[in-house]
Amino acid sequence: MSNEESLLEAIRDDYGVLRVTESEGYRFLYFGEQTEQSCCFEADPAWLEYDYTRAMLLALYWQNRPQQVTLLGLGGGSLANCLLKHFQPQQVTAVELRPAVVDAGRKWLGLSEDPRLEIKIGCAEQYINESPASCDLLFVDLYMEGGISRLQLQAEFFQRCHRALRPGGLLVINQWQLGNTGNPYAGRMLEQLFGDKYLQVPVEEGNILLFIPASGQLFLEKLALRSWADDLEAQLGYSLRPYIEALRRASDAPVID
């Protein structure tokens, strides 16, 4: 937390301390002392501030109006808010381990009260194990105070996530880059599971977003993607073009020696 941020609340739960701070029209959710987990623009809680969350929205090119969206990991709720405001899903289900995160989202971070949003408190692993063929769009964004969740390094977990997709569905994974390689930590494992034709977007924050279809390959035509992004720009307030330019197949990523 910078010196310019004022502390709104500190909450201790079974997993550590959550801190909510405020600065110049933004509110921030921290896991522990230093791990900035979420950012909320107070004037518009559906605004996405981070590059990695904006890059996630590319999934909506292939799933324009999904019936069922599942989020593993709620955070401050900005992504859920954005999906509900701009993309007309029929239902968004967010699975969050920590009740205190939901409470903070509702109290401080503008978490939507939209009736289409269902929040389930519990373990993402258990939920996904019990939910085969349950969603059209699945976002996996599981991080703890110490960094990426252990689940996001386990092949069986990703297999279960893939099985949770309905035909034509899409899995979106927020991974961490392996150094500055442009490859995810679990890259070799993911290639063994899903081949090397899925799409990925590295962003400057150090994240890398993976887009894995239920079957086959995603259509990658940047001219059409740019046109789609341009149509959305006025509505969102920012352009998705930078992430489209960085979008590539995993097979085109730099080779790790």
Side-chain angles (χ1 to χ4, degrees), residues 58 223 225-227 229-230 233 238-246:
L58 296 186
L223 185 62
L225 277 158
R226 292 184 193 109
S227 176
D230 291 346
E233 185 172 353
Y238 44 81
S239 176
L240 301 181
R241 273 191 173 231
Y243 318 109
I244 292 169
E245 301 312 316

Side-chain angles (χ1 to χ4, degrees), residues 173-177 182-184 200-203 206-210:
I173 302 170
N174 175 25
Q175 271 275 353
W176 197 246
Q177 284 189 63
N183 287 280
Q200 58 187 35
V201 179
V203 297
N207 305 70
I208 185 166
L209 290 309
L210 315 178

